């Protein structure tokens, strides 16, 4: 007999796709107390039937439809038959425009009771079955008319069906979209019903009379909707650009970052894989001597200012004369609104000192801040100093600092403009399970000692908080860290 906490799920599973007669029979059984045999039947799961792996790979032209959407929301895709189901999941997410922020499931039929493939999440929850990781597309679809169903977000219940339109003798060299219609619904909009209400409101020109329930007003709804979302929008080039990112092989990483990537993959989250799969992530890992000098300038100036060492104040701060001199040489005084002569009142100076210490460039002994042996050796040689910094990143001993550091490095190495580092890093940290305070829905801050170092390398001391654009040398630095043997 099922546990009481399972009853609602099992009843929903049984009723999904049932005929009116079957539903009446279920109600009769519930009323008469004859539920044990029903739940026992549900607990005997039928496994999907897989075809043998073909000796030759063929291509499949499939139509992917969002089930129940009117007018139809669909994409026509050409896929190689040897595509594994986890990669097919990536393809569906990219082709439709989903954000991959919920669980998914592949099943062999429309009925929710149909045999399905289990995910790593299911295995972690104690389920047995055929793991989707080991299954290819051509083991489920092989002839014209064959169907495979894909459910995304068990709350909203987005059902998709892939139907084979044509078997191609030659598999496509890469996944691509050849047609489609309509935009993907917004995430978490309440399923087909919620989507239809939003679509009607947008198509009306945002008529207040059609504002869907759940929004305080039109401004609230506009803020919630994805920017420029319109239900009738479809752009083939946009879809294929998203597919190119989705199927790109991620750059090879090892150690902690590889473990974090595996952790996310195990949860069915592909965000980090997508970041590491971006073309710039595969770029060069070295910088020129001139770039090394520019990247390390802030730290070299700081080491030059403190010389053989400086006595700290009674409160443990740098002397005002040192703060003032460094702030002027580094460019901080050009944008900082304060006097820049007290370390406790000039956070940009304190940030350089803190990261220099974390990088092993300075240390405090007997109330004096002095350069370390490594700093003395490297400071006259910008490339050597750059290599030292690469060898020390990411910074931190706490899990949150190290994981945020790895995520920041992954984002920076992928060529993301500096003004987007924090938002993307925060999204990745959210995927890893970190939250802001006690609110489980709020993404965490992206701040970390490693991100602070990346800011300094990009010239934050001279520009303040106005870092923008892609610095190719900073991206190469981040790649040198994450691809370090």
């Amino acid at each position: 007999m099922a546990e009481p906490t399972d009853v609602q799920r099992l009843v929903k599973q049984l009723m999904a796709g049932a005929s009116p007669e079957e539903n009446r029979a279920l109600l009769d059984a519930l009323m008469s107390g004859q539920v044990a045999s029903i739940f026992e039947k549900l607990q005997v799961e039928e496994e999907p039937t897989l075809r043998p792996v073909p000796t030759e790979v063929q291509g499949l032209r499939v139509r992917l439809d969002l089930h129940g959407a009117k007018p139809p929301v669909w994409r026509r895709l050409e896929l190689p038959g040897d595509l594994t189901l986890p990669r097919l999941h990536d393809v569906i997410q990219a082709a439709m425009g989903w954000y991959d922020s919920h669980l998914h499931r592949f099943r062999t039929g429309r009925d929710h009771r149909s045999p399905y493939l289990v995910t790593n999440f299911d295995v972690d929850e104690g389920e047995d079955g055929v793991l989707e990781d080991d299954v290819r597309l051509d083991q489920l679809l092989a002839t014209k008319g064959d169907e495979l169903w894909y459910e995304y977000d068990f709350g909203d219940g987005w059902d998709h069906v892939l139907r084979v339109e044509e078997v191609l003798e030659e598999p496509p060299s890469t996944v691509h979209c050849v047609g489609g219609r309509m935009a993907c619904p917004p995430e978490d909009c309440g399923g087909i019903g919620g989507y239809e209400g939003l679509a009607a409101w947008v198509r009306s020109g945002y008529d207040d009379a059609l504002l869907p329930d759940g929004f305080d007003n039109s401004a609230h709804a506009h803020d919630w909707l994805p920017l420029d979302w319109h239900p009738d929008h479809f752009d083939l080039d946009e879809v294929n650009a998203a597919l190119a990112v989705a199927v790109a092989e991620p750059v090879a990483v090892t150690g902690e970052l590889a473990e974090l990537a595996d952790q996310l993959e195990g949860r069915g989250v592909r965000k980090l894989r997508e970041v590491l799969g971006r073309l710039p992530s595969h770029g060069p890992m070295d910088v020129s001597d001139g770039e090394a000098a520019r990247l390390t300038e802030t730290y070299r100036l700081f080491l030059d200012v403190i010389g053989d060492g400086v006595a700290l104040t009674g409160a443990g701060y740098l002397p005002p004369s040192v703060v003032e001199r460094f702030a002027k040489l580094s460019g901080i005084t050009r944008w900082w609104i304060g006097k820049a002569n007290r370390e406790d009142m000039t956070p940009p100076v304190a940030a350089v000192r803190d990261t220099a210490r974390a990088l092993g460039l300075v240390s405090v002994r007997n109330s004096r801040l002095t350069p370390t042996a490594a700093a003395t050796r490297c400071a006259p040689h910008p490339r050597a100093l750059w290599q030292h910094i690469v060898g020390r990143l990411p910074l931190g001993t706490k899990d949150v600092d190290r994981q945020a550091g790895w995520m920041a490095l992954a984002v920076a190495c992928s060529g993301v403009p500096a003004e987007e580092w924090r938002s993307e890093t925060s999204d990745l940290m959210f995927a890893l399970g970190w939250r802001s305070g006690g609110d489980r829905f709020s993404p965490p801050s992206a701040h970390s000692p490693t991100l602070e170092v990346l800011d300094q390398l990009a010239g934050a001391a001279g520009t303040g908080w106005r870092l923008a654009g892609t610095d190719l040398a900073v991206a190469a630095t981040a790649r040198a860290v994450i691809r370090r043997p």
Side-chain angles (χ1 to χ4, degrees), residues 297-381:
E297 181 179 16
T298 297
Y299 291 112
R300 288 186 294 109
L301 283 172
F302 185 73
L303 292 171
D304 183 60
V305 168
I306 67 169
D308 294 335
V310 296
L312 300 176
T313 66
Y317 294 117
L318 291 168
S321 60
V322 173
V323 173
E324 191 170 8
R325 183 180 175 211
F326 174 70
K328 182 177 181 180
L329 290 174
S330 63
I332 290 174
T333 53
R334 291 198 300 267
W335 59 273
W336 183 247
I337 57 176
K339 292 183 178 180
N341 63 354
R342 287 180 51 184
E343 185 181 3
D344 60 331
M345 300 293 289
T346 317
V349 173
V352 174
R353 172 187 164 176
D354 289 344
T355 53
R357 187 173 183 179
L359 288 168
L361 298 176
V362 294
S363 63
V364 177
R365 292 182 180 178
N366 300 321
S367 298
R368 286 181 60 84
L369 184 75
T370 59
T372 63
T376 302
R377 182 176 64 253
C378 296
H381 311 288

Side-chain angles (χ1 to χ4, degrees), residues 244-245 247-251 272-282:
V245 172
V247 301
E249 285 297 327
V251 66
L272 182 54
R273 178 192 176 92
E274 290 176 4
V275 170
L276 296 175
R278 292 170 182 160
L279 187 59
S281 297
H282 298 261

Side-chain angles (χ1 to χ4, degrees), residues 237-452:
D237 291 337
E238 287 179 4
V239 173
N240 277 312
L243 286 171
V245 172
V247 301
E249 285 297 327
V251 66
V253 294
T254 59
E256 283 183 87
L257 184 55
E259 292 174 4
L260 294 173
D262 290 343
Q263 179 180 326
L264 289 176
E265 288 272 352
R267 297 176 186 171
V269 179
R270 303 294 196 267
K271 292 183 183 297
L272 182 54
R273 178 192 176 92
E274 290 176 4
V275 170
L276 296 175
R278 292 170 182 160
L279 187 59
S281 297
H282 298 261
M285 300 182 292
D286 199 8
V287 298
S288 68
D289 290 343
E291 289 170 332
R294 175 176 64 82
L295 293 172
T296 60
E297 181 179 16
T298 297
Y299 291 112
R300 288 186 294 109
L301 283 172
F302 185 73
L303 292 171
D304 183 60
V305 168
I306 67 169
D308 294 335
V310 296
L312 300 176
T313 66
Y317 294 117
L318 291 168
S321 60
V322 173
V323 173
E324 191 170 8
R325 183 180 175 211
F326 174 70
K328 182 177 181 180
L329 290 174
S330 63
I332 290 174
T333 53
R334 291 198 300 267
W335 59 273
W336 183 247
I337 57 176
K339 292 183 178 180
N341 63 354
R342 287 180 51 184
E343 185 181 3
D344 60 331
M345 300 293 289
T346 317
V349 173
V352 174
R353 172 187 164 176
D354 289 344
T355 53
R357 187 173 183 179
L359 288 168
L361 298 176
V362 294
S363 63
V364 177
R365 292 182 180 178
N366 300 321
S367 298
R368 286 181 60 84
L369 184 75
T370 59
T372 63
T376 302
R377 182 176 64 253
C378 296
H381 311 288
R383 172 168 288 279
L385 182 56
W386 176 81
Q387 290 171 336
H388 172 84
I389 292 172
V390 166
R392 296 283 297 207
L393 295 177
L395 301 176
T397 56
K398 297 178 181 178
D399 285 346
V400 63
D401 285 338
R402 290 195 66 81
Q403 291 185 22
W406 281 119
M407 296 306 101
L409 288 163
V411 168
C413 95
S414 72
V416 170
E419 63 269 28
E420 298 176 18
W421 284 351
R422 281 161 176 76
S423 62
E424 285 219 8
T425 299
S426 179
D427 287 345
L428 287 167
M429 288 295 285
F430 186 86
L432 285 168
W434 297 98
R435 298 293 183 269
S436 176
D439 183 352
R440 64 190 182 95
F441 299 108
S442 297
S445 167
H447 178 76
S448 70
T450 301
L451 184 56
E452 183 65 46

Side-chain angles (χ1 to χ4, degrees), residues 111-168:
D111 192 320
H112 284 73
R113 294 169 293 177
S114 301
Y116 62 87
L117 289 302
V118 299
T119 64
N120 284 292
F121 178 85
D122 296 326
V123 172
D124 289 343
E125 292 294 302
E127 284 201 51
D128 294 321
V130 179
L131 184 64
E132 69 171 30
D133 292 20
D134 305 321
V135 177
R136 292 171 26 153
L137 178 61
D138 53 15
Q139 291 182 271
L140 294 165
L141 302 179
T143 60
K144 184 176 181 179
D146 284 353
E147 292 182 354
L148 177 63
W149 287 74
Y150 170 86
E151 184 179 4
Y152 173 62
D153 184 355
F154 300 156
D156 279 3
W158 302 109
D159 258 345
H160 308 68
V161 58
L162 289 94
R163 185 174 294 106
V164 177
E165 293 185 325
E166 185 178 346
V167 178
L168 309 173

